[in-house]
Amino acid sequence: MTEMVHGTIPAAAGDPILPRWWRTIDKWTMSCVLILFGIGMLLGFAASPPLASKNGLEPFYYVTRQFGFGMIALTVMLAVSMMSPTLVRRLATIGFAASLAAVMLLPVFGTDFGKGAVRWYSLGFASLQPSEFLKPGFVVVAAWFMAASQEIGGPPGRAYSFVLALVIVGFLAMQPDFGQACLVLFSWGVMYFVAGAPMVLLIGLVGMTVVAGTFAYNSSEHFARRIDGFLSPDVDPRTQLGYATNAIREGGFFGTGVGEGTVKWSLPDAHTDFIIAVAAEEYGLLLVLAVIALFCIVVVRSLIRLMRERDPFIRLAGTGLACAFGVQAMINMGVAVRLLPAKGMTLPFVSYGGSSVIASGIAVGMLLAFTRTRPQGEIGDILRGRGRA
């Protein structure tokens, strides 16, 4: 609590790793993530039993699996948060290369599990979605390129990162997974903006996105069906969006009560993409606002700490990770309330899914590592010093 009230206490370089980690970590962000996972487990007890019943499994089969995935995710998060930025960058580069190779091989070895998009590898005991692990690795690698381009005589890192983003978007669009593709482009755009990109280029990027979206609409039945459903003034009550909309309406401000919701029996993805509809129906607007507040605290708190960071790589990578984390949550909840077309994107740490929760643990672990307090002068001190010179 001392850090939450008075700020982080800088650690001496010779301190043991655990005390130094505890004094320099952002405890607000870590606490919010733990609460989000707890809320996810609570909602899992409500949303998972209907699916388990349909599949002939034990009532809390999926809850138990999610708890196991969550323990792995939180362990990885804490381990990564103890690493130095240099070590994080090296491991992220290796992980990015492996994830990109896995995404490229999806058309050959992947499966769609009957959902119309080849996004997963079936491992028998579980499934693996490599695009979830690709995102944090890409953010770190792209930030490394952009930071290198700011050095005197450095490589054209911004151009390299843009080409890399286009390659990733192309392979994601082949699945098709336009939601993850948009998130990759958004992350790159945010980092490029922070790195000092001209507005003309960013406007051009938006124009290219519109052109690409138009092409996807005309060439992909999967994409066109989701856009048409979003633009339609009427919602078919027998679709997932229809069930979710009705559940949110029925929940009201305080909800129908624990275990009293009915949408979980109708929504195939009630435990994953539409978990927020279950929260809104049984616990009402209050819990939804609490979830939104937790995500906002993680993003805003991280960005405030990164504003004081001198190292351009850490500043860019941390900004990309924080914004991607927040925007993914915004997309998931926006789809549930029909503010956005259906994307098939999970709510970090809340939705069921091994790949999602473990990849989120890696991403937040990187973010915690980048936002740790380090013995350095703040960037504002440097700017003021230059002004006096």
Side-chain angles (χ1 to χ4, degrees):
M1 287 300 296
T2 304
E3 184 267 346
M4 293 184 178
V5 177
H6 300 289
T8 303
I9 303 173
D15 285 350
I17 184 170
L18 285 178
R20 183 167 70 249
W21 169 81
W22 180 249
R23 284 198 291 270
T24 57
I25 200 74
D26 184 0
K27 299 179 184 64
W28 279 95
T29 294
M30 188 168 62
S31 299
C32 288
V33 168
L34 294 175
I35 295 172
L36 283 170
F37 178 69
I39 292 174
M41 291 301 301
L42 176 67
L43 296 176
F45 279 102
S48 297
L51 180 65
S53 176
K54 291 178 183 177
N55 294 334
L57 301 170
E58 293 293 327
F60 298 113
Y61 171 80
Y62 292 104
V63 178
T64 304
R65 285 174 63 87
Q66 182 69 355
F67 181 78
F69 292 141
M71 291 300 99
I72 296 173
L74 295 178
T75 301
V76 171
M77 181 187 77
L78 295 177
V80 173
S81 69
M82 296 180 187
M83 298 178 184
S84 67
T86 301
L87 182 57
V88 170
R89 186 191 68 204
R90 291 172 179 170
L91 294 179
T93 302
I94 297 172
F96 169 74
S99 300
L100 181 58
V103 168
M104 290 178 174
L105 292 174
L106 274 173
V108 181
F109 301 106
T111 181
D112 63 354
F113 289 111
K115 296 187 177 182
V118 183
R119 302 176 184 175
W120 300 272
Y121 287 103
S122 178
L123 305 179
F125 61 92
S127 61
L128 176 69
Q129 186 175 356
S131 61
E132 291 285 357
F133 300 93
L134 184 67
K135 290 179 297 184
F138 166 74
V139 168
V140 174
V141 171
W144 184 22
F145 283 151
M146 292 183 189
S149 68
Q150 297 179 8
E151 299 176 1
I152 298 176
R158 296 179 183 180
Y160 291 163
S161 66
F162 181 59
V163 171
L164 195 58
L166 292 181
V167 170
I168 294 171
V169 167
F171 278 100
L172 290 176
M174 288 171 58
Q175 296 181 6
D177 191 349
F178 297 105
Q180 299 283 17
C182 291
L183 195 56
V184 167
L185 276 181
F186 171 81
S187 303
W188 181 87
V190 166
M191 290 188 292
Y192 199 32
F193 177 76
V194 173
M199 288 301 297
V200 174
L201 189 144
L202 292 177
I203 293 173
L205 181 62
V206 172
M208 290 173 58
T209 304
V210 172
V211 172
T214 303
F215 175 78
Y217 179 83
N218 293 325
S219 60
S220 172
E221 181 182 351
H222 176 82
F223 184 78
R225 186 169 59 251
R226 292 196 169 188
I227 296 297
D228 291 340
F230 171 70
L231 296 177
S232 174
D234 301 318
V235 181
D236 186 346
R238 295 167 299 179
T239 62
Q240 296 214 84
L241 283 176
Y243 289 128
T245 301
N246 183 66
I248 294 170
R249 186 188 307 115
E250 291 294 326
F253 199 80
F254 296 104
T256 59
V258 179
E260 298 298 323
T262 59
V263 71
K264 57 196 177 186
W265 295 98
S266 306
L267 268 173
D269 294 330
H271 62 310
T272 55
D273 299 351
F274 290 91
I275 190 77
I276 201 68
V278 177
E281 184 181 31
E282 296 200 358
Y283 297 92
L285 182 63
L286 287 178
L287 182 62
V288 175
L289 291 177
V291 170
I292 294 173
L294 290 168
F295 279 106
C296 288
I297 291 172
V298 171
V299 175
V300 174
R301 175 85 178 179
S302 299
L303 292 178
I304 290 175
R305 291 170 74 94
L306 289 165
M307 287 174 63
R308 302 193 292 264
E309 178 58 54
R310 291 171 53 181
D311 189 320
F313 162 70
I314 296 176
R315 193 164 61 248
L316 291 171
T319 300
L321 290 169
C323 291
F325 182 76
V327 169
Q328 179 169 339
M330 184 184 71
I331 291 173
N332 175 275
M333 291 184 279
V335 168
V337 298
R338 208 165 173 251
L339 289 176
L340 295 170
K343 295 288 186 183
M345 195 170 290
T346 58
L347 189 60
F349 289 105
V350 180
S351 295
Y352 172 84
S355 296
S356 173
V357 72
I358 295 174
S360 296
I362 293 172
V364 174
M366 292 177 178
L367 183 60
L368 288 170
F370 291 142
T371 56
R372 284 175 59 184
T373 303
R374 276 171 285 277
Q376 62 175 2
E378 295 185 2
I379 189 169
D381 298 333
I382 300 175
L383 296 177
R384 285 191 293 270
R386 289 178 178 176
R388 288 194 296 269

